[in-house]
Amino acid sequence: MAFHHRPDAPELPDFSMLKRLARDQLIYLLEQLPGKKDLFIEADLMSPLDRIASVSILKQHEVDKLYKVENKPVLSSSEQLCFLVRPRIKNMRYIANLVNADKLAGRTRKYKVIFSPQKFYACEMVLEEEGIYGDVSCDEWAFSLLPLDVDLLSMELPEFFRDYFLEGDQRWINTVAQALHLLSTLYGPFPNCYGIGRCAKMSHELWRNLEEEEDGETKGRKPEIGHIFLLDRDVDFVTALCSQVVYEGLVDDTFRIKCGSVDFGPEVTSSDRSLKVLLNADDKVFHEIRNEHFSNVFGFLSQKARNLQAQYDRRRGMDIKQMKNFVSQELKGLKQEHRLLSLHIGACESIMKKKTKQNFQELIKTEHALLEGFSIRDSTSYIEEHIDRQVSPIESLRLMCLLSITENGLIPKDYRSLKTQYLQSYGSEHLLTFSNLRRAGLLTEQAPGDTLTAVESKVSKLVTDKAAGKITDAFSSLAKRSNFRAISKKLNLIPRVDGEYDLKVPRDMAYVFSGAYVPLSCRVIEQVLERRSWQGLEEVLRLLNCSELAFTGGTKDDKAPSESLRLILVVFLGGCTFSEISALRFLGREKGFRFIFLTTAITNSARLMEAMSEVKA
């Protein structure tokens, strides 16, 4: 089953406009330093910048040399230095060291700092402390929406997850609000708005304030996108912790897709070099397999290879005129397809090799057991063995978190024994990671007699608000009960299957986890869109600890074009996975909708764990 949208699927808005806007604004900022200049770029911004402005565009605007912002001393002979950085303290120290070294040496040059996506007061404070605030000019490059694909926008802010969900730092919320404001300015107001989660609620309120301040700008614009749905990552950690089995998710788990492209090593390219490959809808082969369950991909690719061979073979009986046509019109396309086919076949083989070595089947079996809540002792011993064999510190953590969330916290005996084994196996430097996971509610210990009394649940409501002061950890972990089993029953997340679940012809969104589990985040979205409100979902909200944090809004435009009402923008705050994207694409095809995704960054289980870890890999 190749994934095709119904012929009547609504047209997607053209997001290439976002790239042009970002590029024009960057050029405008560079031109403010007329003449030759050297550009220092922070490593994290290199990939996004590459998708917006090529080196040749930078050179056209008199950028002479490019440097990476790193700890090595810099020998730039240019009279003008421009820094393109994220608003981070360590970058300010780096710039200050450079400027102060120049001062000592008696050099005068021009310095410009461009913050992306915005500047923070703390950064300017550091420049002032270092005594260079007067020597540099500061600007903002408000680039916060990178179109990775026709239906996928990323803010490329992987740090959002840790900053907000662990540190409780709200500084990026303004960036989210600005991005949403830009979208409604370009693509018209959103008639219907739904959201769940504390961060979603704050972002929505801030965004509404921006709209009210600039009232009239979007008045009279026809909405292009009928619904917007904001969702916090911590509403559903389970989905993000599962191993992915759709092709794009597996490629991400195995090779790491970075900013829409992936580095395939020699084992995939079957040559001696690595190749950077852009993965999006323009890659016709990838487009057809990206959402497929991995078990179908090989068959599909080999069928495609046979068809390709047949097309090549047609040239055998051709006369000269036909041959000429074939070479000028078809050959190039066939060669391109051939190249992509062999890459994806190479990627599949490489994934198969790695997964067989890891005994992937056994791992998936354990995950499914955890999701369904049976043979918990077996799963626990599987995890212990995983730790003792030192398979991987990140993987072991992930399994412990999955056990904890699905079981509503570990019983004290298990918590202590797993933690001790982990620290003995992987090193005591991981100790702080455990306190992070506990704070975020990812790996918690059940308090003895852990049933909430009415008083406690009132107190715990107060506590979830970080600003309400940090009342002991014990209480805050009470506030973050996961209630996964109850939610799973209520929303029917574990499909009852009679006989085999046919992964070639999926019947529901559970296919993205081999038919074992419907992603909670996607189910919530589906339910709310069906009801056009949160009504009837009160019990689910209570179990998600989000009774106060679900909202609806929007311009309630009765005259919204019916075409627009079939487009839904889903905003994931704290990251979303390729599995969730595939599941919602499937739902869209079933119901005649089209989903568009906006995420703070693409995430997966390893990235979540790394964000929480105090031990840098």
Side-chain angles (χ1 to χ4, degrees):
M1 122 209 133
F3 261 43
H4 293 297
H5 275 281
R6 292 167 29 166
D8 62 335
E11 279 291 296
L12 291 167
D14 172 19
F15 291 122
S16 59
M17 190 167 11
L18 292 165
K19 278 189 184 169
R20 287 199 299 277
L21 268 174
R23 185 167 54 228
D24 293 350
Q25 197 194 354
L26 180 63
I27 289 169
Y28 172 75
L29 292 170
L30 289 174
E31 304 249 287
Q32 290 180 357
L33 268 185
K36 274 201 149 86
K37 53 201 151 282
D38 283 354
L39 183 59
F40 292 73
I41 309 171
E42 182 173 351
D44 286 2
L45 281 166
M46 286 185 159
S47 299
L49 177 66
D50 201 31
R51 302 282 306 256
I52 294 296
S54 60
V55 175
S56 58
I57 289 179
L58 297 175
K59 299 268 184 213
Q60 281 166 24
H61 298 279
E62 300 191 80
V63 170
D64 190 19
K65 292 192 179 68
L66 293 171
Y67 296 94
K68 197 167 161 181
V69 171
E70 51 193 351
N71 298 328
K72 294 207 288 275
V74 176
L75 305 163
S76 159
S77 54
S78 176
E79 288 311 298
Q80 307 197 89
L81 306 184
C82 187
F83 301 90
L84 181 58
V85 292
R86 288 256 185 258
R88 292 181 182 142
I89 304 287
K90 68 172 200 318
N91 292 332
M92 300 306 100
R93 301 251 185 258
Y94 171 89
I95 293 168
N97 291 340
L98 218 143
V99 176
N100 284 325
D102 278 354
K103 283 187 179 174
L104 273 175
R107 278 196 82 160
T108 47
R109 9 184 191 190
K110 276 191 171 159
Y111 312 97
K112 181 180 196 60
V113 182
I114 302 175
F115 293 102
S116 170
Q118 63 178 100
K119 65 177 176 213
F120 292 134
Y121 175 64
C123 293
E124 300 183 287
M125 285 294 290
V126 174
L127 295 176
E128 203 167 337
E129 272 167 28
E130 297 277 354
I132 64 159
Y133 189 61
D135 304 288
V136 302
S137 62
C138 294
D139 260 304
E140 279 184 346
W141 181 32
F143 163 51
S144 59
L145 289 169
L146 176 67
L148 291 181
D149 211 334
V150 286
D151 59 353
L152 173 60
L153 307 172
S154 169
M155 296 181 71
E156 288 302 307
L157 284 176
E159 62 264 47
F160 185 101
F161 178 69
R162 183 179 166 111
D163 286 349
Y164 181 79
F165 292 101
L166 178 63
E167 317 282 359
D169 183 338
Q170 301 172 359
R171 61 181 172 180
W172 297 116
I173 290 182
N174 183 31
T175 318
V176 173
Q178 296 283 359
L180 295 173
H181 181 53
L182 176 62
L183 285 176
S184 61
T185 313
L186 294 177
Y187 303 103
F190 295 94
N192 304 291
C193 175
Y194 315 98
I196 178 168
R198 186 175 306 278
C199 185
K201 200 168 178 174
M202 288 195 284
S203 308
H204 179 245
E205 278 163 17
L206 205 53
W207 169 38
R208 275 219 321 258
N209 296 345
L210 289 175
E211 305 270 302
E212 279 161 20
E213 280 166 27
E214 299 188 17
D215 198 28
E217 277 205 9
T218 53
K219 278 258 173 345
R221 283 289 314 267
K222 271 202 169 55
E224 283 185 47
I225 303 168
H227 309 266
I228 179 170
F229 199 115
L230 299 128
L231 182 117
D232 281 17
R233 184 69 272 173
D234 67 354
V235 168
D236 173 16
F237 279 142
V238 172
T239 303
L241 288 170
C242 292
S243 297
Q244 306 194 71
V245 286
V246 288
Y247 183 62
E248 191 166 8
L250 253 175
V251 170
D252 189 35
D253 279 358
T254 316
F255 306 101
R256 284 277 161 118
I257 297 174
K258 194 173 152 208
C259 211
S261 63
V262 65
D263 282 316
F264 283 142
E267 77 284 1
V268 173
T269 57
S270 50
S271 64
D272 44 7
R273 14 164 252 204
S274 292
L275 195 58
K276 193 173 175 186
V277 182
L278 210 57
L279 295 177
N280 58 26
D282 295 341
D283 172 338
K284 293 295 174 266
V285 176
F286 176 69
H287 182 59
E288 296 196 57
I289 54 176
R290 64 188 325 176
N291 302 301
E292 289 280 346
H293 189 276
F294 189 65
S295 59
N296 304 333
V297 174
F298 239 1
F300 176 83
L301 291 175
S302 45
Q303 182 54 51
K304 201 124 179 100
R306 285 196 292 276
N307 298 351
L308 194 66
Q309 193 53 52
Q311 280 178 286
Y312 268 127
D313 292 344
R314 285 197 358 256
R315 60 175 196 244
R316 291 226 168 97
M318 289 183 181
D319 59 30
I320 289 184
K321 194 172 173 204
Q322 291 168 316
M323 196 62 165
K324 198 172 156 190
N325 268 344
F326 176 78
V327 171
S328 64
Q329 284 164 13
E330 291 175 52
L331 194 61
K332 198 175 163 201
L334 291 179
K335 280 198 160 144
Q336 169 73 344
E337 196 173 337
H338 183 119
R339 194 182 66 85
L340 293 170
L341 253 178
S342 54
L343 269 178
H344 289 294
I345 290 173
C348 282
E349 284 171 343
S350 174
I351 290 172
M352 298 274 271
K353 264 202 203 94
K354 286 185 176 135
K355 294 305 177 197
T356 317
K357 210 172 119 207
Q358 291 168 2
N359 201 344
F360 196 51
Q361 282 338 92
E362 198 57 26
L363 175 72
I364 294 284
K365 213 174 90 188
T366 305
E367 285 184 30
H368 290 177
L370 290 173
L371 292 167
E372 293 165 36
F374 60 76
S375 50
I376 292 304
R377 292 269 36 105
D378 293 356
S379 301
T380 310
S381 21
Y382 177 89
I383 296 173
E384 289 180 323
E385 193 189 324
H386 199 274
I387 293 171
D388 297 338
R389 291 199 355 254
Q390 299 182 325
V391 182
S392 127
I394 287 291
E395 275 287 286
S396 296
L397 263 189
R398 168 178 87 82
L399 289 168
M400 286 160 73
C401 291
L402 202 52
L403 174 66
S404 166
I405 293 191
T406 51
E407 284 297 293
N408 227 340
L410 302 178
I411 50 180
K413 181 168 89 28
D414 283 356
Y415 182 80
R416 280 195 296 275
S417 106
L418 282 169
K419 183 174 171 179
T420 309
Q421 290 177 61
Y422 188 94
L423 295 173
Q424 281 168 350
S425 192
Y426 294 118
S428 54
E429 65 273 21
H430 290 273
L431 193 57
L432 285 170
T433 304
F434 280 86
S435 89
N436 289 347
L437 291 169
R438 188 176 183 148
R439 247 174 52 208
L442 276 159
L443 181 55
T444 57
E445 178 182 5
Q446 295 174 8
D450 194 357
T451 43
L452 291 180
T453 63
V455 177
E456 281 174 331
S457 49
K458 277 213 176 67
V459 174
S460 70
K461 276 226 172 52
L462 287 173
V463 177
T464 39
D465 209 351
K466 283 246 163 60
K470 300 209 162 56
I471 313 174
T472 64
D473 248 357
F475 262 141
S476 68
S477 67
L478 281 182
K480 294 199 168 141
R481 295 296 303 276
S482 65
N483 305 323
F484 179 73
R485 295 266 169 269
I487 294 165
S488 174
K489 269 206 186 63
K490 196 98 199 120
L491 288 173
N492 194 12
L493 299 182
I494 311 292
R496 282 194 195 77
V497 178
D498 319 318
E500 274 292 285
Y501 186 100
D502 184 0
L503 291 166
K504 280 201 166 53
V505 190
R507 60 178 96 173
D508 55 16
M509 293 188 282
Y511 92 92
V512 303
F513 293 117
S514 311
Y517 160 71
V518 176
L520 167 56
S521 51
C522 305
R523 178 71 96 205
V524 168
I525 291 166
E526 173 195 42
Q527 291 295 314
V528 172
L529 288 173
E530 245 170 53
R531 297 176 159 77
R532 289 282 185 99
S533 80
W534 291 97
Q535 264 172 352
L537 296 171
E538 291 78 10
E539 180 60 11
V540 174
L541 287 174
R542 191 184 65 73
L543 291 167
L544 287 169
N545 305 316
C546 284
S547 297
E548 312 295 312
L549 302 175
F551 58 88
T552 51
T555 56
K556 295 286 171 264
D557 184 351
D558 304 329
K559 296 187 289 297
S562 62
E563 185 74 344
S564 76
L565 292 174
R566 288 165 46 217
L567 278 181
I568 299 139
L569 173 67
V570 182
V571 184
F572 282 90
L573 301 166
C576 90
T577 64
F578 284 119
S579 298
E580 289 166 307
I581 292 176
S582 291
L584 288 172
R585 282 180 182 144
F586 171 84
L587 181 69
R589 270 194 322 282
E590 291 289 286
K591 308 257 188 222
F593 294 148
R594 226 27 220 278
F595 282 96
I596 301 163
F597 305 92
L598 163 57
T599 176
T600 47
I602 289 290
T603 194
N604 61 10
S605 58
R607 290 191 188 93
L608 278 198
M609 294 294 99
E610 282 161 17
M612 288 288 160
S613 172
E614 288 300 322
V615 181
K616 291 298 158 249

